[in-house]
Amino acid sequence: MSVQAVAAKMAEVELKDVAEEKKSENNSSSSSAAVAAAVEPSPVTAAPNPVKMPQASAMKRPDPQQNGGEAFVNYDGTVAEAPRMKKIQFADQKQEFNKRPTKISRRSLSRSISQSSTDSYSSAASYTDSSDDETSPRDKQQKNSKGNADFCIKNIKQADFGRREIEIAEQEMPALMALRKRAQGEKPLAGAKIVGCTHITAQTAVLMETLSALGAQCRWAACNIYSTQNEVAAALAEGGFSVFAWKGESEDDFWWCIDRCVNVEGWQPNMILDDGGDLTHWIYKKYPNMFKKIKGIVEESVTGVHRLYQLSKAGKLCVPAMNVNDSVTKQKFDNLYCCRESILDGLKRTTDVMFGGKQVVVCGYGEVGKGCCAALKAMGSIVYVTEIDPICALQACMDGFRLVKLNEVIRQVDIVITCTGNKNVVVREYMDRMKNGCIVCNMGHSNTEIDVASLRTPELTWERVRSQVDHVIWPDGKRIVLLAEGRLLNLSCSTVPTFVLSITATTQALALIELYNAPEGRYKQDVYLLPKKMDEYVASLHLPTFDAHLTELSDEQAKYLGLNKNGPFKPNYYRSAAA
């Protein structure tokens, strides 16, 4: 077959397909005849040059002359305008968007958006200041559906949304749910009266409900004025828990809530679960006689642990305390993996910053610092590290980070992150020298790492730009971006991975069970680490999630290593801390 015949045949097939397609497309149109006429091609035999390969027949292309409309290009190069498709405009839609809103309607729209944000049961609802009700919870009289009023929260009506948050968290906390199922029958915490001061989030709610299922009574306050999820607090209050917390507490509210947890007629705590040491400090300060009935303290943060060791060294620690922060499952998982994921989340939500190419200094290279540095490096940031410990400093160097003093890089960096648990790490002198737009935040538990108090002076202007985002403006116009007023970034401004918190919460629960049930004399008035056997048990409860299968030692191998086949596999002197 000749080239001319092949070309003619190809054109005939293509034109026939297009004509059929257009005929089908326009069957429902009132102008189908006109469209068909516009699309109908000339016969193949009428081609001016039968030897020349035809152009792609009747392809659509944008026509700039038609304001974004389309045209059809016939095989012979001629252009036919495509029919214009009439857009459907609903009457109410046209009326709604063509009318300029008045001040009143704008306000209504704003209130509508705020209300929908508040009513959302996603965790983001907790991180917006969208509530129209500015009345302090301390001035409200609220009761749950059973008539109980022993709580103080933002809004009991949000309980349904909080319950959904808790149900979502339960799916990512397999160890707590397994512990609840295994120990529920024997009630190892029967008779325990636990007073707690932690972040009140969906994850903490799963822990509290697990403790209750194991037989404990609980009263709870928040350890951070910004981290409470209001809808979760409402769900707990509806469930009968005495919760005293809301997002955005003042300093006075913070201590008032702790006092309401502790100082209640007819209820004497016998266990303390603390995060930061504030609850323990308050009881020592106001109600020291309570320690006569308290069996033990469980503390999960580095700041609180430091306080406990100070009390022990001074001979003022009058009950046993369990240092959960330095347990392997807390230090190696929560501190590292939680911060590796949540540092980026917190910074993105508050500042929309792009990390690629940014110069960042991370103060402290413990597990929290390691997690932050790893995440930022993976995003393309140039990361510097400051450190006082030569072992952690060497780790930073071998991980590829440049070890510096803060004053060496403070003028050039774009982001400053503290991860030390210390005080006055970033002082006013450093902030005076920062570049315009530098972001300053804290990933350590303590709110003392950034000297925020030094910024509250007449010559500096504070400008709130978002929830938990302040611009601090110098007289020359330079400004820094301060996040969460120097408090914990991830729990104040974003969320944290539930699965990692499951590990920490399970460790806390086992520590409470251990101290509460320990025979008299096993633990003295000192600070203890969680037994390694329990650490390993916590880890084992999370392995089924990954369909992971542990290898078992043979008798010969166990004898060779000097270990029990069932563990513990780590000795008590195993270094679980940052180094």
Side-chain angles (χ1 to χ4, degrees), residues 72-136:
F72 289 95
V73 183
N74 293 322
Y75 78 99
D76 60 355
T78 61
V79 178
E81 182 182 350
R84 291 189 173 277
M85 300 298 291
K86 186 175 181 180
K87 292 185 179 180
I88 300 175
Q89 182 95 45
F90 294 104
D92 56 345
Q93 182 185 28
K94 184 176 181 180
Q95 181 180 3
E96 177 69 24
F97 291 99
N98 286 351
K99 182 176 67 176
R100 293 182 61 84
T102 62
K103 290 183 178 181
I104 295 176
S105 62
R106 285 179 181 174
R107 188 182 302 120
S108 299
L109 178 60
S110 173
R111 292 172 68 89
S112 174
I113 293 171
S114 296
Q115 189 61 40
S116 65
S117 177
T118 303
D119 289 349
S120 169
Y121 60 85
S122 72
S123 58
S126 293
Y127 304 107
T128 58
D129 292 334
S130 58
S131 176
D132 290 328
D133 184 6
E134 297 301 328
T135 305
S136 170

Side-chain angles (χ1 to χ4, degrees), residues 532-534 536 553 558 562-570:
K532 291 296 181 291
K533 182 68 176 175
M534 290 190 184
E536 293 173 0
L553 291 173
L563 297 174
N564 186 306
K565 289 178 63 174
N566 300 316
F569 301 97
K570 292 285 191 296

